[in-house]
Amino acid sequence: MSNSPTALTELQWYAVQTLSNQEAKVKRYLDKFIDIEEMGEYVEEVLMPTETVTEVKNGKKYTKERKLYPGYVFIQMRLYDENDKVHQKPWYFVRGVQGIIGFIGGDRPTPLKPEEMTRIKDQVSAAEGIEKPKVEYEVGEEVKINDGPFLNLTGRIDEIDPERGKLKVSVSIFGRFTPVELEYWQVERAEES
C-alpha cells in the first residue's frame, strides 16, 4: 500500500451531526481552526442555516436566531479517496472536533445532492433580513393582544400578511367588532378555557 495521497475529491457538501445546541460552537471552532490546522485546501465553507425570529415576553420584543436544521452543520469540503484510509486528514480533522457526533454516512460520508444544498441555501437566502414570528397563526384563530393600546383584549384573526409581519384582528370595542392591524409579536395565542 502506497503512502502517497490519492487525488483529492471535488468540493462537495456534507451534513455533519452535532450534539444538541453545539452547532454554533462547532461552526466557530471549524472557522477558526481551518487556517491554524492548514485545512483551507480541504474545507471551503461551514454553514449553519438560521432564521431570525421574534417574540414578546413581559411586554418586551426579543429577537433571536433559530436554527433551520437543529443538530446539523453543513461543510463544503474535499475528501481523499474513500479507499485510502491512511490519508484522510480532512475527515479526521472534522470528526475530531468537540461537539461533532459524525458525518451523515458514518465512516463513508455521503455528500448531499446538489439540489438538496440548493434548497438549503435558498432557505438561508429567503430568511436573510426578515424577522419571522416565533409562532405562526391561522385565520379564525383567537389571540390575546399583549402590546399597544388594545393590551389584554382578545380578538379573532381575519387576515394575515406574512410579508409585512402583520395581522388584521377583529376586537370587540364597546360592543362592536373593530378591525385592528397588529404586528405578529403584539399578540399571543388566547388561552383555552
Side-chain angles (χ1 to χ4, degrees):
M1 183 168 169
S2 167
N3 283 345
S4 64
T6 60
L8 286 170
T9 61
E10 63 186 57
L11 278 171
Q12 296 185 66
W13 283 96
Y14 296 90
V16 177
Q17 190 176 11
T18 67
L19 294 172
S20 181
N21 293 318
Q22 295 289 306
E23 303 88 349
K25 182 178 174 184
V26 165
K27 180 179 177 358
R28 279 192 309 274
Y29 180 91
L30 286 169
D31 287 341
K32 179 178 178 182
F33 282 92
I34 286 168
D35 288 334
I36 293 172
E37 298 287 332
E38 298 178 359
M39 297 302 295
E41 156 183 19
Y42 310 107
V43 181
E44 180 76 18
E45 184 180 352
V46 180
L47 181 65
M48 182 186 73
T50 61
E51 63 185 351
T52 304
V53 293
T54 58
E55 69 177 323
V56 173
K57 287 185 180 178
N58 301 325
K60 288 189 177 185
K61 179 182 174 186
Y62 294 94
T63 302
K64 69 177 192 172
E65 293 291 311
R66 177 168 60 189
K67 297 168 204 90
L68 292 172
Y69 295 90
Y72 293 92
V73 295
F74 301 93
I75 304 176
Q76 186 181 29
M77 63 185 295
R78 292 180 170 92
L79 292 175
Y80 283 110
D81 182 74
E82 65 185 30
N83 298 320
D84 187 356
K85 298 292 183 197
V86 175
H87 297 95
Q88 291 191 349
K89 185 177 176 183
W91 185 87
Y92 285 111
F93 167 70
V94 172
R95 184 66 184 85
V97 172
Q98 186 174 5
I100 286 183
I101 294 171
F103 283 90
I104 298 302
D107 289 343
R108 294 181 180 214
T110 307
L112 296 169
K113 294 176 183 165
E115 57 271 14
E116 291 173 317
M117 206 56 218
T118 298
R119 183 177 45 79
I120 291 168
K121 285 187 164 190
D122 287 347
Q123 281 182 293
V124 171
S125 294
E128 280 180 19
I130 296 174
E131 288 185 5
K132 186 177 176 184
K134 186 172 182 180
V135 181
E136 299 285 332
Y137 297 103
E138 296 179 17
V139 172
E141 189 173 356
E142 290 286 320
V143 292
K144 179 181 175 185
I145 301 170
N146 58 19
D147 184 70
F150 303 104
L151 181 67
N152 293 326
L153 292 178
T154 58
R156 185 186 69 244
I157 298 174
D158 293 330
E159 293 177 29
I160 300 173
D161 184 351
E163 283 78 34
R164 292 177 48 228
K166 303 270 185 179
L167 303 169
K168 196 166 277 185
V169 179
S170 289
V171 179
S172 178
I173 302 173
F174 305 119
R176 293 188 197 166
F177 282 98
T178 305
V180 177
E181 188 174 83
L182 300 165
E183 293 186 37
Y184 278 23
W185 60 268
Q186 291 181 290
V187 300
E188 60 188 35
R189 286 200 164 88
E191 292 181 19
E192 306 270 332
S193 29

